[in-house]
Amino acid sequence: MFLFGIPSPWYSELSNEIGVVPAYFLITFIAIVPGFMNAFVFMANVFDVRPPELDDQRYPPVSVLIAAYNEIFAITSTLTSLFNQSYSSPMRIILISDGSYDLTVDVVREIEKKHPNLELIYLQHNGGKAAALNLGLEKCKTDIVISVDADCYLHRDGIKNLVSRYWADPLDTRAVAGSILIRNSRENWITKAQEWDYFLGIGTVKRIQSLFHGGTLVAQGAFSLYDRKALVEMGGWPEKVGEDIVLTWKFLSAGYRVGYAQDAMAFTNCPNMLEQFIKQRRRWSRGLMEAFKECPMILFKPRLTTLYIWWNTMFPLMDIAYTFGFIPGLILACFGKFSIVGPMTLSFADGIFA
C-alpha cells in the first residue's frame, strides 16, 4: 500500500522514529526521487535511437580555438593530437595565449614554424578565457568553430565525428558537445571516482538529453562545436565563470538545439587533489547559478530536457538526505536498526564495496 507514492509501512515506521516531516523528506530524497531518476535514465538508454550519419557526409573547413594560460606541460600534447586528426578538410588552429608567463608561448612559436595551419595570438595580460576565445572568434572565417581546452588530448577521429554528428542532427542544431573522458584516471582514488562521474554522471546524461527536443544542456568549452553565425549572434562567449553553460543556455533560450557526439572523444586531466576537486566543483556550481540568473525563463520552456534543469535544484536536497539520513541509516542497520536502511540495501552496498 502506498501513501502519496510513499510505501506506507516504511513511512509509518520511520515517522514514529523521527517525525512526519523528516520521514517524508528522507524517503522522498533517498528513494522516490533517485529511483525515478534511475528508471528514467535506464529507459531512455534502452529506447535510444540517434539520427544516423549521412551517406553523403561532407567535411567543410573548420577553425579550432584554444585559450591557453601557462600550459607548458600540456600544450605540445594537445597540438599534436590536433595535427594527427583524421579530418579530411582544412583545419585552422588559433591558439590564444592569455597572458601566459611560463614558456608556453616559446613552445608554441617553435611548433608554429613547422605547421602553417597554426596561428598564435599572444596577449600580454590575462583577460580570462571568454575574452581570449572571443578574440580568436574574430579571426574565424569558417562556418564551423570548435573550442578545445589547452590540456585536452583528442582521439584521432574526434573532430571528424563531432562534425558528422552536427550534420546528421536536426536542422535547428547550432552546437554539438563532444565526449570528455578522464586522461589521468588511474592516478589515485580521486581521479578514479571522477572517471565514473564523467562517464556515467556526465556522458550518459548528455546522451539522454540529446534525444529530446532542445538537446544537451551544456556544450562544455573543453571540446564542443558551434555554428559561427549563431555564436556571433549570441555575442560570443560571455565573460562568466561558467561561460560554456551560460552560452549553451543562450542557444536554448533562442530556440536552437544543442547536440551530443558520444564518439567524439577528448581526454582531459582531472583534479588529483581534494582541494583542486572542490575548487572545480565550486566553479561549476557558480556557473550554474550564473546560467539561472542569465536565462531564468529556461526553467519554464515546454520541453522534456527542462526536467533535467529542475533535477539540478533537487541535488542539494538529496545531498542533505544522504548525508544526514542514508549514511547514519547504514550505520544503524549494522546494529539491527532498519528504519531507514534495510537488509536489501546492505546486501547491495556490500556487493559494491566487496
Side-chain angles (χ1 to χ4, degrees):
M1 180 180 176
F2 286 76
L3 181 63
F4 302 109
I6 298 177
S8 293
W10 186 12
Y11 162 76
S12 299
E13 182 180 351
L14 187 57
S15 62
N16 290 333
E17 295 282 344
I18 62 175
V20 175
V21 174
Y24 265 115
F25 179 82
L26 290 183
I27 293 175
T28 298
F29 291 104
I30 287 177
I32 306 299
V33 172
F36 170 77
M37 289 180 173
N38 288 328
F40 187 91
V41 169
F42 175 77
M43 295 306 296
N45 276 297
V46 168
F47 293 104
D48 178 4
V49 179
R50 301 176 65 77
E53 293 185 5
L54 305 177
D55 294 331
D56 56 343
Q57 180 65 62
R58 60 192 180 96
Y59 297 101
V62 301
S63 299
V64 178
L65 297 182
I66 305 173
Y69 176 69
N70 293 341
E71 294 289 354
I72 181 62
F73 297 109
I75 197 61
T76 300
S77 175
T78 300
L79 291 174
T80 300
S81 72
L82 285 167
F83 297 141
N84 292 334
Q85 287 295 297
S86 62
Y87 198 69
S88 57
S89 294
M91 181 173 60
R92 185 185 181 199
I93 304 169
I94 302 174
L95 189 145
I96 308 96
S97 176
D98 187 24
S100 297
Y101 55 82
D102 62 0
L103 297 177
T104 298
V105 173
D106 297 324
V107 170
V108 174
R109 280 175 176 162
E110 287 300 315
I111 298 174
E112 188 180 18
K113 296 176 182 178
K114 303 175 184 177
H115 296 275
N117 62 325
L118 171 63
E119 178 183 353
L120 170 65
I121 300 176
Y122 174 52
L123 303 179
Q124 291 187 341
H125 304 287
N126 179 257
K129 183 178 180 180
L133 290 174
N134 287 329
L135 182 61
L137 178 62
E138 293 177 2
K139 294 183 174 293
C140 293
K141 304 301 180 183
T142 59
D143 292 333
I144 293 176
V145 176
I146 297 172
S147 67
V148 175
D149 271 2
D151 61 349
C152 279
Y153 185 91
L154 272 60
H155 184 274
R156 177 175 171 77
D157 295 327
I159 289 182
K160 175 184 175 183
N161 292 339
L162 196 62
V163 174
S164 296
R165 177 48 50 201
Y166 174 63
W167 290 118
D169 273 4
L171 294 177
D172 59 346
T173 300
R174 292 296 182 272
V176 179
S179 176
I180 304 297
L181 301 172
I182 299 299
R183 190 176 182 182
N184 59 333
S185 60
R186 294 295 178 267
E187 192 168 336
N188 55 36
W189 69 270
I190 299 176
T191 60
K192 289 178 181 178
Q194 289 175 83
E195 180 180 33
W196 283 104
D197 182 30
Y198 274 67
F199 184 70
L200 294 176
I202 298 176
T204 300
V205 169
K206 281 181 182 290
R207 177 171 181 143
I208 295 170
Q209 291 172 354
S210 69
L211 301 177
F212 307 125
H213 174 66
T216 301
L217 293 175
V218 182
Q220 70 286 330
F223 184 39
S224 289
L225 174 152
Y226 305 93
D227 177 279
R228 182 177 62 85
K229 292 181 180 178
L231 185 55
V232 172
E233 178 189 335
M234 296 299 111
W237 282 271
E239 295 195 21
K240 306 285 186 180
V241 171
E243 77 287 332
D244 48 5
I245 183 173
V246 175
L247 175 60
T248 306
W249 284 24
K250 281 188 174 183
F251 274 114
L252 297 173
S253 297
Y256 295 133
R257 181 184 175 279
V258 179
Y260 174 67
Q262 80 282 355
D263 56 353
M265 294 177 287
F267 298 85
T268 186
N269 288 324
C270 67
N272 58 2
M273 298 177 62
L274 194 58
E275 182 180 0
Q276 296 173 347
F277 173 77
I278 293 173
K279 287 182 179 179
Q280 180 200 58
R281 299 306 161 114
R282 185 182 297 148
R283 187 172 66 252
W284 288 5
S285 298
R286 182 176 170 183
L288 181 62
M289 293 301 104
E290 290 174 337
F292 276 123
K293 184 178 179 180
E294 192 79 17
C295 309
M297 296 310 297
I298 198 173
L299 284 167
F300 307 101
K301 285 279 186 178
R303 57 176 171 237
L304 195 52
T305 47
T306 303
L307 176 67
Y308 279 94
I309 302 177
W310 283 103
W311 281 6
N312 286 326
T313 66
M314 294 187 183
F315 280 111
L317 298 175
M318 286 191 287
D319 288 341
I320 294 172
Y322 271 83
T323 301
F324 298 103
F326 186 76
I327 294 176
L330 282 175
I331 298 173
L332 290 173
C334 293
F335 297 94
K337 192 73 171 178
F338 302 122
S339 300
I340 300 176
V341 174
M344 289 297 293
T345 308
L346 286 177
S347 299
F348 178 72
D350 183 60
I352 292 176
F353 296 111

